[in-house]
Amino acid sequence: MGQAGLAQDQKGARRRGAWICFQDESGFSLLPVVRGTWAPRGQTPVLRHRFSWSRMSMAGVLAYRPDRSRAKLIFQTKPGSYNTESLITFLTQLRRHLRGKPIVLIWDGLSAHRSKDMKAWLATQQHWLTVEALPGYAHDLNPMELVWGNLKATELANLCPDILNDADTAVHTGLHRIGSSYQLCFNFLDHTGLRL
């Protein structure tokens, strides 16, 4: 999808009263997201953590009204990775969260987004859901990437939890912080250079 395709979808979204939604997935584990920090002179900061590859995944959507009157961050976390089935469940919950309003969904080329089962399901949802794919290697056009970056640079930075539930709590705290700020949600969109 190029800039012209997005502009066309935006006009259609305005006509139908649709939300424009950018979706993405990311993950976190017990391994800390190492970031630079401050420490007293001569005392090198040390991160002590459990060396564990246990992971959880996050799916999120930044949803915007085409007239820029509202923005919402909708997210979910789960153990393991997202697949077609769990993404269909997430999209079904997204529809309920947005009160059944039409949605223009913009996402990347993840294999679960392009699977045969996903295509079949999307074909049955066209009365409320329009899907557009971002161009390959265009993660910088997805404001959700900036959400993940902000979360990992703040709540998850240098966090050394003992159990995944502690990391999950930090993730929820951070995503609620981001979602409670319309200004931050619109700043992420503006940073991509895209306009509603």
Side-chain angles (χ1 to χ4, degrees):
M1 175 190 70
Q3 294 273 0
L6 183 58
Q8 190 66 23
D9 282 338
Q10 290 166 334
K11 290 177 188 172
R14 267 190 216 103
R15 265 194 314 273
R16 296 189 327 267
W19 287 88
I20 298 175
C21 297
F22 293 86
Q23 192 275 341
D24 195 37
E25 302 85 11
S26 189
F28 59 95
S29 71
L30 293 180
L31 299 177
V33 179
V34 179
R35 294 290 187 260
T37 188
W38 297 96
R41 183 177 295 220
Q43 296 179 25
T44 303
V46 176
L47 298 177
R48 300 189 192 286
H49 63 89
R50 296 177 183 271
F51 192 78
S52 171
W53 292 104
S54 298
R55 287 184 59 79
M56 289 190 75
S57 294
M58 314 175 269
V61 163
L62 267 173
Y64 300 97
R65 298 300 294 163
D67 62 0
R68 291 183 67 104
S69 62
R70 293 182 70 196
K72 290 185 177 208
L73 174 61
I74 298 116
F75 66 90
Q76 175 187 86
T77 61
K78 70 179 284 301
S81 298
Y82 277 90
N83 58 23
T84 298
E85 183 180 340
S86 54
L87 283 171
I88 287 172
T89 300
F90 177 71
L91 293 176
T92 302
Q93 292 169 350
L94 173 66
R95 182 182 187 203
R96 280 198 296 269
H97 192 81
L98 296 178
R99 300 176 188 232
K101 294 283 187 192
I103 293 172
V104 175
L105 182 71
I106 302 162
W107 62 10
D108 59 23
L110 183 75
S111 59
H113 298 170
R114 298 178 285 111
S115 72
K116 187 173 93 174
D117 289 344
M118 179 62 81
K119 288 178 182 175
W121 182 78
L122 291 173
T124 67
Q125 307 301 312
Q126 293 178 357
H127 57 285
W128 68 274
L129 182 61
T130 303
V131 176
E132 292 290 342
L134 286 165
Y137 305 102
H139 63 277
D140 54 330
L141 294 179
N142 192 340
M144 275 305 302
E145 296 285 355
L146 297 168
V147 170
W148 305 140
N150 185 285
L151 171 69
K152 291 177 181 181
T154 308
E155 282 79 9
L156 294 182
N158 301 322
L159 180 69
C160 299
D162 288 328
I163 56 173
L164 270 174
N165 280 350
D166 293 342
D168 191 45
T169 299
V171 164
H172 278 76
T173 298
L175 293 176
H176 282 297
R177 171 186 56 81
I178 294 166
S180 68
S181 170
Y182 278 15
Q183 187 63 52
L184 195 52
C185 291
F186 280 111
N187 286 348
F188 291 151
L189 177 66
D190 294 340
H191 187 79
T192 67
L194 299 175
R195 293 193 180 139
L196 296 177

